[in-house]
Amino acid sequence: MRLTAVFALLLATASARADEGMWTFDNFPTDKVKQRYGFAPDARWLEHVRLASVRLAGGCSGSFVSPQGLVLTNHHCAHGCVEQVSTPRRDLVKNGYYARTPGEELKCPAMEINQLVAITDVTGRMRQATRGLSDARFAEAQRIETAKIERECKTSPAVRCDVVELYHGGAHHLYRYRRFQDVRLVFVPEFATAFFGGDPDNFMFPRWDLDMALVRVYEGGKPLPTDHYFRWSRGGAKDGDLTFVPGNPGRTSRLLTIAELEYERDVTLTERLVRFAEWRGLLTEFSRRSAEHARISNHDLFMVENAFKARKGMFDTLADRRFFAGKVAEEKALRDAIARDPGRKQRYGGAFEAIAQAVERQRTLDPMYRWVKPHPRNPLSPRLFSTLLGQAEALWRSVAERGKPNEQRLKEFRDAALPRLTMALFSEAPIYDELEIRNLGFGLGKLREDLGPDHPFVKAVLGKEAPDELAARVVRGTRLKDVAERRRLWDGGKSAIHGSSDPLIDLARRMDAGARAARQAYEETVESVLRRHGERLAKLRFELYGTKTYPDATFSPRLSYGQVKGYTLRGQQVRSFTDFAGAFARDTGRPPFDLPRSWHLAKGKLNLRTPLNFCTDNDIIGGNSGSPAINREAAIVGLIFDGNLPHLAADYGFVGDTGRAVAVHSEAIMQALRLIYGAERVVKEILGR
Amino acid sequence: MRLTAVFALLLATASARADEGMWTFDNFPTDKVKQRYGFAPDARWLEHVRLASVRLAGGCSGSFVSPQGLVLTNHHCAHGCVEQVSTPRRDLVKNGYYARTPGEELKCPAMEINQLVAITDVTGRMRQATRGLSDARFAEAQRIETAKIERECKTSPAVRCDVVELYHGGAHHLYRYRRFQDVRLVFVPEFATAFFGGDPDNFMFPRWDLDMALVRVYEGGKPLPTDHYFRWSRGGAKDGDLTFVPGNPGRTSRLLTIAELEYERDVTLTERLVRFAEWRGLLTEFSRRSAEHARISNHDLFMVENAFKARKGMFDTLADRRFFAGKVAEEKALRDAIARDPGRKQRYGGAFEAIAQAVERQRTLDPMYRWVKPHPRNPLSPRLFSTLLGQAEALWRSVAERGKPNEQRLKEFRDAALPRLTMALFSEAPIYDELEIRNLGFGLGKLREDLGPDHPFVKAVLGKEAPDELAARVVRGTRLKDVAERRRLWDGGKSAIHGSSDPLIDLARRMDAGARAARQAYEETVESVLRRHGERLAKLRFELYGTKTYPDATFSPRLSYGQVKGYTLRGQQVRSFTDFAGAFARDTGRPPFDLPRSWHLAKGKLNLRTPLNFCTDNDIIGGNSGSPAINREAAIVGLIFDGNLPHLAADYGFVGDTGRAVAVHSEAIMQALRLIYGAERVVKEILGR
């Protein structure tokens, strides 16, 4: 009886959640879309959309919008680049930038763009390699097979191959991308309009942001000719329109077990929240010291505020008793399905228990592991909040790693990953001593806070020094700030690196053994268990619900469908559009509610009724930033840049009633480019006339 | 069956928790202590201990240790005073202080000390006043009756009377105190030894801190003659010794329902954690600007780090699944007891449900209420983190409040509370513009973050200004920094205050209506419900478990018993004592592990084997800071200053197996006073020879 109720509930939500799903391009529910919207995207349409969409390897999405490699994305996706090409005398974050001529397009020091050209199912091969293996050996076999497949696929540095684990191990697909590492900045508006309303309005709707950027992909020093690109729509999105959003949703956790979700709520999210909160306080005060302090810390501050607010919404979702009860009911349906069928009991029994035990081990390991774990997207993740230390670690480890056979290396050193690593390592992006010292000092202090001053790793790292003192010494003393020195060490290999007396290399050396051991313990006793039993639960789900479902997000290309649609929140009706007039009405002249001078100068020329932002019920998540919103003709009607507050639940479940994707309207982009920024060159290029 | 199991569990824990309890002086379990330790404190002993113990109204405890009003407490309890009597040229926090002569004893601008002289049970009177009333009227009747009782009791400004609500309304007792507002600083060591190990070692054991201070109570300009004071023990605490700790535990939440505990975990604690974390980051960076910035922010930073770490431990306790399951079982026993008895169903039915509903209302009200709620101990709590704004609010409100009959006033304006309010209002403690601007700007920003920029209260407060901008304008422009101006406005009453054009008074005016409305909504729809149904559950507990229990802590005098005792944590044995040698061994020369120069100079003279800190299993909580640890002869064997990490669970339950109170040893105090600080005058006074 109870089971029926649960199934009825699942069914009810399944129909209520009609626009749910971040679908892989090879399993798109064309029939569902047809049924609901009377339009069936065919294989050609899907292929074109896939090839016209791109992934920004740093964690965003974008789309080709001209035959000459022009890419539309968000300002906040190009923010890092804009800051890196700025100087104390030329603050492009603050002032915006427009390359009036092709020659003025500015190279981004560390931006990589990927275009998905092929998907191959390698599930069978992966299964073959792991058949009958226990937890730790299972994970090792997966690692080795993954490395092999990726290596076979990667025929040149211009090719990127990722074995993507879908459905928590239910399937493995090989994604083959073209890799572009010469990307140049074409246009960004001022930060004040890109992020109008700032942190207070972030994740809110209504909104009035021009969160856009245009960059261009180059190949062989010339703009990339692009066969597949999106055309601009006439008039853009309208209420009720069917909208597709191709992009790269980063991570969702909709298939996690209750044990994993509780751990998210009680440990992972809380830890991140307090850490980001403190870092934010530090950076805020740091930025007050001078205009230059503000400039160099602007990007970190923006990132940390954004990350904080997103996680706060995620935490609140899991702390919502009703939402959590729904998750418990979902799991109960799976547990009951196992319990009442002896065959299933044999195939899937014990999976939930094994995962719960792994989570308990994670509880013990995390206080250290969180400091040394690899970042899923950034091979040189700022170690202890320091970019330099991440580079030093990569250099130190390269000695051991590059000497190993490909599949035995740490993931970030495998052949398939090396181009991304070396790009980050040899990036010309400026590094600011004072900010690095603050960040590293902060990281070292928090490391000590998590582990306690008597922990052997803390003692190995700090010695007798105080965190700030150590940070200042190594950052001031290192030569790694110079790209040439990093290149010299990389090229010099073992003798150069082991022979170096650089204080940062020395710090990386002191951390290495402890960090590797913690990573190994985690991978062998937690990750591998979650993998193996996650795969079992994925198979159970296929058995119960069929394969016409979508996998949790994995920062690989996906396609969602939905419509332009307002909503009702706490009894209040929220319309689906804002306009330019609204932006001027909200302007107080004070940050973050201060429209830039360019807007005020152009005001008289603007059609103030032109839509500025709008919202849709497409199923998106972080990583979809920069995704185009397109119509059935695959023409651009908007540019996704955010979700509203209720949408922050999307990590753990689709909330189609109130959760919304937030986009810049395509007409707003055109009006701004023409009338505010006089960017006729790119307008012509985009419109093809 | 299930019930039996639960009762068995409760019984089992009851015996395991032999030293549990923060007992009121009038309900001390003498027989239990006798049974366990062979010593039965009699009424005279208890009276003496009560009268020799004091409460520091700001949130600490202390004890008389000489016949001339000398009070022993913690450095961190006197920290505020030490900072306030410091100047840019004389940093007493850093350097410590010793008044070599009586004339050098320095007046603390805002320290109040209370001595509990009488306890009267007024439960009957309170019951009478509230008989048959609904939630909101119930609370109002309680408020009015409380004000009446307190006013009748308070015969002079030197008397303080509090109606203390015990057992969440199960009993009301009138506590009559002598009130002392002339308190002077006699001795503090350097911050570096008082808080050796700093935040990393806070809430840890083993420890090596000399967290002590000596102040003196004056009356009529002369040292207060004290009949009741604690003598110093010979040799101090030893392993296994029976120890009593009199003091004022501030708040525990051991009787909360599951709905309330979930709210604590998911909202209250999380909100405080992220807020304190961010403030900490801000203050840390602020303090780096210069030595003077460090000096003026030292106290705030110390407080916020301490509060953060304490709350982190509390959060972790509630996030501990096993601990929480125990709480659920306790509540289930109560719910089952109601369900299986029709009489009880009538008397107590619906209480849990009513409380859960009140918590849901709290969820809606808290984002605003948390900014305007009265602080339980500080009548001028820093509003939006600003001391000045708290003072401005008190001045603005005084116009309306002082005109009302006593019992209709806001609690902090009632006759019984006025001396504490005016003391804080007319405090000579310095106020630093730059720090006030930071703190107020921070508060205003967070207010906007909680409510959103479009909330009417936010608009009323901010207008078109940015938080930092408004903060700078009002702090720079106000004359309230001058005590004389605050006095002029208070004395001038309505015409002076309503006629003032002071920007801070104006800000207080803009906040007043919204703040009062939010406070009223909370008190009427949440607090009153929690009160009324809390009282019903208290009666149920009395019915089931008898009255030989202790109430949740209420920052009023209590007495706990226990013993000096090591413990085992994660397989590791922790001994109950540390010594001076350990402190020198831990010294790295770098903050916070840097012993002061005075210690190094005296090292040769010291007996390094003298115990420095020790731990006991006494049941204490924040507010017990500064409590003496005494033996059966009521002689001082130590000075409580902290608890260890497992002890942070104590808010929600006693954890006698691993939770420990941490104390400075009495011999350490004597050795330090004599050999490090040459404080012969006070040594003689304490030892009486």
Side-chain angles (χ1 to χ4, degrees):
Chain A
M1 287 299 290
R2 202 176 277 203
L3 202 87
T4 327
V6 170
F7 275 138
L9 175 81
L10 290 177
L11 219 68
T13 49
S15 93
R17 297 171 177 180
D19 291 347
E20 176 171 356
M22 304 170 176
W23 301 88
T24 48
F25 275 88
D26 53 354
N27 190 32
F28 189 77
T30 299
D31 44 347
K32 260 197 202 171
V33 180
K34 169 105 200 242
Q35 197 185 333
R36 193 166 156 82
Y37 293 102
F39 169 69
D42 60 16
R44 238 189 98 224
W45 190 96
L46 288 168
E47 191 196 8
H48 170 67
V49 169
R50 170 167 57 75
L51 291 169
S53 306
V54 299
R55 180 170 85 155
L56 276 61
C60 277
S61 300
S63 60
F64 287 120
V65 291
S66 91
Q68 293 93 42
L70 194 65
V71 168
L72 175 67
T73 185
N74 293 144
H75 182 286
H76 75 265
C77 294
H79 192 165
C81 165
V82 179
E83 190 167 288
Q84 286 154 8
V85 297
S86 292
T87 63
R89 284 156 189 272
R90 193 174 70 161
D91 185 346
L92 304 188
V93 176
K94 185 163 183 282
N95 302 319
Y97 185 72
Y98 172 50
R100 295 190 183 279
T101 64
E104 288 172 19
E105 298 182 356
L106 300 171
K107 186 157 179 4
C108 290
M111 195 183 280
E112 173 178 314
I113 282 183
N114 307 134
Q115 179 192 35
L116 177 62
V117 291
I119 302 177
T120 319
D121 189 344
V122 294
T123 312
R125 216 178 134 175
M126 292 294 286
R127 290 267 160 85
Q128 185 69 32
T130 57
R131 187 151 297 162
L133 297 181
S134 64
D135 294 340
R137 297 207 42 225
F138 177 94
E140 196 196 346
Q142 273 200 340
R143 199 161 52 235
I144 291 173
E145 194 62 22
T146 298
K148 268 192 204 155
I149 295 172
E150 289 178 353
R151 190 191 208 166
E152 287 165 23
C153 162
K154 187 184 166 300
T155 49
S156 90
V159 171
R160 174 178 179 144
C161 295
D162 295 342
V163 171
V164 181
E165 186 186 70
L166 300 168
Y167 306 97
H168 293 262
H172 286 86
H173 288 184
L174 174 63
Y175 277 43
R176 189 165 192 268
Y177 300 93
R178 286 180 74 185
R179 180 202 298 273
F180 305 107
Q181 293 193 319
D182 183 353
V183 181
R184 307 191 189 172
L185 183 66
V186 178
F187 168 79
V188 277
E190 308 88 337
F191 184 71
T193 168
F195 198 46
F196 182 70
D199 181 69
D201 275 1
N202 197 10
F203 299 110
M204 299 296 237
F205 193 79
R207 279 287 270 293
W208 299 266
D209 289 9
L210 189 71
D211 190 354
M212 69 168 292
L214 290 163
V215 297
R216 192 187 303 280
V217 170
Y218 280 70
E219 202 176 43
K222 286 186 182 152
L224 177 80
T226 32
D227 300 338
H228 292 279
Y229 63 92
F230 292 114
R231 287 168 206 280
W232 212 255
S233 76
R234 278 191 174 273
K238 290 184 187 55
D239 233 339
D241 275 4
L242 167 62
T243 46
F244 296 91
V245 173
N248 302 272
R251 192 191 87 134
T252 53
S253 308
R254 297 180 184 177
L255 300 181
L256 293 192
T257 65
I258 295 300
E260 290 170 289
L261 288 173
E262 284 180 342
Y263 190 72
E264 285 257 315
R265 181 190 66 197
D266 297 340
V267 181
T268 316
L269 286 172
T270 327
E271 187 274 333
R272 289 285 85 183
L273 280 175
V274 299
R275 207 114 292 173
F276 286 151
E278 186 172 348
W279 195 26
R280 177 190 189 179
L282 189 159
L283 289 173
T284 304
E285 183 61 20
F286 180 85
S287 75
R288 288 191 183 114
R289 291 196 176 207
S290 74
E292 179 63 0
H293 284 82
R295 187 184 74 80
I296 65 174
S297 58
N298 175 294
H299 183 59
D300 279 357
L301 190 54
F302 170 81
M303 295 297 282
V304 73
E305 289 192 332
N306 189 61
F308 175 86
K309 203 165 174 180
R311 274 169 187 79
K312 183 64 172 59
M314 290 164 67
F315 178 84
D316 288 344
T317 302
L318 293 183
D320 179 322
R321 295 174 68 182
R322 183 178 296 191
F323 185 92
F324 208 84
K327 284 285 170 185
V328 171
E330 281 175 25
E331 178 161 318
K332 188 164 182 334
L334 293 178
R335 283 176 180 266
D336 288 350
I338 297 174
R340 71 168 187 277
D341 180 327
R344 276 197 206 122
K345 215 172 203 164
Q346 207 182 347
R347 290 196 295 282
Y348 311 119
F352 285 108
E353 292 72 15
I355 287 173
Q357 280 159 21
V359 169
E360 280 313 298
R361 282 191 292 278
Q362 189 175 2
R363 203 178 283 273
T364 313
L365 297 175
D366 258 357
M368 166 119 189
Y369 176 64
R370 71 169 65 110
W371 293 105
V372 301
K373 69 179 173 186
H375 188 285
R377 288 194 296 280
N378 183 355
L380 296 186
S381 75
R383 278 281 168 242
L384 294 161
F385 297 88
S386 160
T387 303
L388 279 171
L389 181 57
Q391 295 174 330
E393 183 189 76
L395 287 168
W396 178 261
R397 287 186 167 174
S398 71
V399 175
E401 295 303 315
R402 289 162 78 194
K404 295 178 186 170
N406 185 46
E407 63 276 6
Q408 284 173 26
R409 296 179 205 156
L410 294 173
K411 197 177 162 185
E412 59 272 26
F413 285 96
R414 290 200 208 122
D415 291 341
L418 273 184
R420 180 102 185 95
L421 183 117
T422 49
M423 183 188 198
L425 186 59
F426 305 138
S427 156
E428 297 275 357
I431 289 171
Y432 304 100
D433 272 25
E434 217 180 332
L435 185 62
E436 278 287 297
I437 291 170
R438 278 314 180 285
N439 286 344
L440 178 56
F442 178 64
L444 291 166
K446 298 300 112 178
L447 171 74
R448 185 175 70 182
E449 192 168 307
D450 283 359
L451 299 177
D454 301 316
H455 190 286
F457 186 66
V458 175
K459 287 185 163 178
V461 170
L462 287 182
K464 290 214 158 194
E465 287 180 294
D468 284 350
E469 179 188 6
L470 172 58
R473 179 175 62 78
V474 298
V475 172
R476 293 238 164 76
T478 187
R479 294 181 52 204
L480 297 188
K481 285 166 273 186
D482 180 0
V483 184
E485 173 66 6
R486 298 200 291 270
R487 205 177 279 279
R488 186 187 73 79
L489 289 172
W490 178 266
D491 293 341
K494 181 169 177 173
S495 63
I497 293 168
H498 283 191
S500 162
S501 60
D502 193 284
L504 253 170
I505 294 283
D506 181 60
L507 180 58
R509 179 188 61 72
R510 294 208 304 271
M511 291 177 64
D512 195 38
R516 281 175 184 268
R519 183 164 162 183
Q520 193 181 356
Y522 179 87
E523 287 173 355
E524 287 181 1
T525 68
V526 179
E527 194 176 79
S528 64
V529 181
L530 299 181
R531 277 253 165 84
R532 195 162 82 82
H533 297 280
E535 179 190 316
R536 294 175 71 210
L537 290 179
K539 283 184 196 159
L540 170 64
R541 278 196 196 88
F542 289 153
E543 192 178 310
L544 293 174
Y545 309 129
T547 52
K548 208 61 199 174
T549 66
Y550 63 95
D552 258 332
T554 47
F555 194 53
S556 54
R558 302 291 179 88
L559 182 62
S560 81
Y561 64 95
Q563 59 179 316
V564 181
K565 202 177 176 183
Y567 57 102
T568 306
L569 194 63
R570 283 185 226 101
Q572 215 160 359
Q573 191 68 28
V574 182
R575 292 189 55 237
S576 49
F577 283 90
T578 66
D579 62 19
F580 280 72
F584 284 102
R586 197 168 183 76
D587 179 47
T588 64
R590 269 84 161 192
F593 300 98
D594 54 332
L595 287 175
R597 208 170 114 81
S598 62
W599 279 57
H600 288 286
L601 289 174
K603 188 176 179 185
K605 293 182 284 182
L606 299 176
N607 176 356
L608 295 176
R609 290 288 143 224
T610 302
L612 181 42
N613 289 172
F614 67 102
C615 66
T616 81
D617 72 350
N618 286 74
D619 196 0
I620 61 157
I621 199 81
N624 268 117
S625 280
S627 283
I630 57 175
N631 60 19
R632 50 190 86 193
E633 285 80 40
I636 285 184
V637 299
L639 167 65
I640 302 290
F641 71 97
D642 204 358
N644 65 354
L645 266 188
H647 177 269
L648 289 171
D651 255 79
Y652 304 107
F654 180 67
V655 280
D657 50 344
T658 53
R660 289 293 178 273
V662 177
V664 187
H665 197 270
S666 56
E667 290 294 297
I669 293 174
M670 274 303 143
Q671 168 154 279
L673 285 176
R674 274 184 175 139
L675 303 182
I676 301 177
Y677 301 103
E680 276 304 324
R681 180 174 78 93
V682 295
V683 168
K684 274 187 193 147
E685 181 180 342
I686 290 170
L687 299 182
R689 48 186 141 94
Chain B
M1 285 300 288
R2 200 175 278 201
L3 201 88
T4 327
V6 169
F7 275 139
L9 176 80
L10 289 178
L11 218 68
T13 49
S15 92
R17 295 172 177 178
D19 291 347
E20 177 172 355
M22 304 169 176
W23 302 89
T24 49
F25 275 88
D26 53 354
N27 190 32
F28 190 75
T30 298
D31 44 344
K32 261 196 200 169
V33 179
K34 170 104 199 243
Q35 198 184 332
R36 194 166 155 82
Y37 292 102
F39 169 68
D42 61 15
R44 237 189 99 221
W45 190 95
L46 288 168
E47 192 196 7
H48 171 66
V49 169
R50 170 168 56 76
L51 290 169
S53 305
V54 298
R55 180 170 85 156
L56 276 61
C60 277
S61 300
S63 60
F64 287 120
V65 291
S66 91
Q68 293 94 43
L70 194 67
V71 168
L72 175 67
T73 185
N74 292 145
H75 183 285
H76 75 266
C77 294
H79 192 164
C81 165
V82 180
E83 191 166 288
Q84 286 155 9
V85 297
S86 292
T87 64
R89 284 155 189 272
R90 191 174 72 162
D91 185 345
L92 304 189
V93 176
K94 186 163 181 284
N95 302 319
Y97 185 71
Y98 171 50
R100 290 185 188 282
T101 64
E104 287 172 20
E105 298 184 356
L106 299 171
K107 184 155 179 9
C108 290
M111 194 183 280
E112 174 179 312
I113 282 183
N114 307 134
Q115 179 193 35
L116 178 60
V117 289
I119 303 177
T120 319
D121 189 343
V122 294
T123 311
R125 217 178 132 174
M126 293 293 286
R127 291 268 159 84
Q128 185 67 32
T130 57
R131 186 152 296 160
L133 298 180
S134 65
D135 294 340
R137 297 209 41 227
F138 178 93
E140 198 196 344
Q142 273 199 339
R143 199 161 53 234
I144 292 173
E145 194 62 22
T146 298
K148 267 192 206 154
I149 295 172
E150 290 178 351
R151 189 190 209 168
E152 286 165 23
C153 161
K154 187 184 165 301
T155 50
S156 91
V159 171
R160 174 176 178 144
C161 295
D162 294 342
V163 172
V164 181
E165 186 186 68
L166 300 168
Y167 305 97
H168 293 263
H172 286 85
H173 287 185
L174 174 63
Y175 277 43
R176 189 164 192 268
Y177 300 93
R178 285 180 74 184
R179 179 201 299 273
F180 305 107
Q181 294 194 319
D182 183 353
V183 181
R184 305 192 191 172
L185 183 66
V186 178
F187 169 80
V188 277
E190 307 88 337
F191 185 71
T193 168
F195 197 46
F196 182 71
D199 181 68
D201 275 359
N202 198 11
F203 298 111
M204 300 296 238
F205 193 80
R207 278 288 269 295
W208 300 265
D209 288 10
L210 189 70
D211 190 353
M212 70 167 293
L214 290 163
V215 297
R216 191 186 304 280
V217 170
Y218 280 70
E219 203 177 43
K222 287 184 181 154
L224 177 80
T226 32
D227 299 338
H228 291 279
Y229 63 91
F230 293 113
R231 287 167 206 281
W232 212 256
S233 75
R234 278 189 173 275
K238 291 184 186 55
D239 232 338
D241 276 3
L242 167 62
T243 46
F244 295 91
V245 173
N248 303 271
R251 193 191 86 135
T252 53
S253 308
R254 296 181 184 177
L255 301 181
L256 294 190
T257 65
I258 295 300
E260 290 170 288
L261 288 174
E262 284 180 343
Y263 190 72
E264 285 257 317
R265 180 191 65 197
D266 297 340
V267 181
T268 316
L269 286 172
T270 327
E271 187 274 332
R272 288 284 85 182
L273 280 175
V274 299
R275 207 112 295 171
F276 286 151
E278 186 172 350
W279 196 25
R280 178 190 188 179
L282 189 159
L283 290 174
T284 304
E285 183 60 20
F286 180 84
S287 74
R288 287 192 182 113
R289 291 195 176 207
S290 74
E292 178 63 0
H293 284 81
R295 187 184 74 79
I296 66 175
S297 59
N298 175 295
H299 183 61
D300 279 357
L301 190 52
F302 171 81
M303 294 297 283
V304 72
E305 288 193 333
N306 189 61
F308 175 85
K309 204 166 175 182
R311 274 169 187 79
K312 184 66 171 59
M314 290 163 66
F315 177 84
D316 288 344
T317 302
L318 293 182
D320 180 322
R321 295 172 69 182
R322 182 178 299 192
F323 185 92
F324 208 83
K327 284 286 171 184
V328 171
E330 281 175 25
E331 178 161 319
K332 190 169 180 328
L334 293 178
R335 283 174 179 267
D336 288 351
I338 296 175
R340 72 168 186 277
D341 179 324
R344 276 194 206 125
K345 216 172 202 163
Q346 208 183 347
R347 289 195 296 281
Y348 311 120
F352 284 109
E353 293 71 16
I355 288 173
Q357 281 160 18
V359 169
E360 280 314 298
R361 282 191 292 277
Q362 189 176 2
R363 203 178 284 273
T364 314
L365 297 175
D366 258 357
M368 166 120 188
Y369 175 65
R370 70 169 66 109
W371 293 104
V372 301
K373 69 179 173 187
H375 188 285
R377 288 195 296 280
N378 183 354
L380 297 185
S381 74
R383 278 281 166 240
L384 295 159
F385 297 88
S386 159
T387 304
L388 279 170
L389 182 56
Q391 295 174 332
E393 184 190 75
L395 286 168
W396 178 261
R397 288 185 168 175
S398 72
V399 174
E401 294 303 315
R402 289 162 77 194
K404 294 178 187 170
N406 186 44
E407 64 276 5
Q408 284 174 27
R409 295 179 205 156
L410 295 173
K411 198 176 160 182
E412 58 274 26
F413 286 95
R414 290 202 208 123
D415 291 341
L418 273 183
R420 180 103 185 96
L421 183 116
T422 49
M423 182 187 198
L425 187 58
F426 304 139
S427 156
E428 298 276 357
I431 290 169
Y432 304 100
D433 272 26
E434 217 181 332
L435 185 62
E436 278 287 296
I437 292 170
R438 279 312 181 285
N439 286 345
L440 178 57
F442 178 64
L444 291 165
K446 297 301 111 176
L447 171 75
R448 184 175 72 183
E449 193 168 307
D450 283 0
L451 298 177
D454 301 316
H455 191 285
F457 186 66
V458 175
K459 286 186 165 177
V461 170
L462 287 182
K464 290 214 160 195
E465 287 180 293
D468 283 350
E469 180 188 6
L470 171 58
R473 179 175 61 78
V474 298
V475 172
R476 294 237 164 77
T478 188
R479 294 182 52 205
L480 297 188
K481 284 166 275 187
D482 180 358
V483 184
E485 174 66 4
R486 299 201 291 271
R487 205 176 278 278
R488 186 186 76 78
L489 290 172
W490 179 267
D491 293 342
K494 181 169 178 174
S495 64
I497 294 167
H498 283 190
S500 161
S501 61
D502 193 284
L504 253 170
I505 295 283
D506 181 61
L507 179 57
R509 180 188 61 73
R510 294 208 304 272
M511 291 176 64
D512 195 39
R516 281 175 183 269
R519 184 165 160 183
Q520 192 181 355
Y522 179 87
E523 287 173 356
E524 287 181 0
T525 67
V526 179
E527 194 177 78
S528 63
V529 182
L530 299 181
R531 277 254 165 85
R532 195 163 82 82
H533 297 280
E535 179 190 315
R536 295 176 71 209
L537 291 179
K539 284 184 198 160
L540 170 63
R541 278 195 197 89
F542 288 152
E543 190 178 312
L544 293 173
Y545 309 130
T547 52
K548 208 60 200 172
T549 66
Y550 63 95
D552 258 332
T554 47
F555 194 51
S556 53
R558 303 291 179 89
L559 182 62
S560 81
Y561 64 94
Q563 59 179 316
V564 181
K565 202 176 175 183
Y567 57 102
T568 305
L569 194 63
R570 285 185 225 101
Q572 215 160 359
Q573 191 68 28
V574 182
R575 291 189 54 237
S576 49
F577 283 90
T578 66
D579 61 18
F580 279 73
F584 283 101
R586 197 168 184 76
D587 179 48
T588 65
R590 268 84 160 194
F593 299 99
D594 54 333
L595 286 176
R597 207 172 115 80
S598 63
W599 280 56
H600 288 287
L601 289 174
K603 188 175 179 186
K605 292 183 284 182
L606 300 176
N607 176 357
L608 295 176
R609 289 287 144 224
T610 301
L612 181 42
N613 289 173
F614 67 102
C615 67
T616 80
D617 72 351
N618 285 74
D619 195 0
I620 61 156
I621 199 81
N624 268 117
S625 281
S627 283
I630 56 175
N631 60 19
R632 51 190 87 193
E633 285 80 40
I636 287 185
V637 300
L639 167 65
I640 300 291
F641 71 96
D642 205 359
N644 65 354
L645 267 187
H647 177 269
L648 289 171
D651 254 78
Y652 304 108
F654 180 67
V655 280
D657 50 344
T658 53
R660 289 293 178 272
V662 177
V664 187
H665 198 271
S666 56
E667 290 293 298
I669 293 175
M670 274 302 142
Q671 169 155 277
L673 285 177
R674 273 185 177 139
L675 303 182
I676 301 177
Y677 300 103
E680 276 304 326
R681 180 173 78 91
V682 295
V683 168
K684 274 187 194 148
E685 181 181 342
I686 291 171
L687 299 184
R689 46 185 142 94

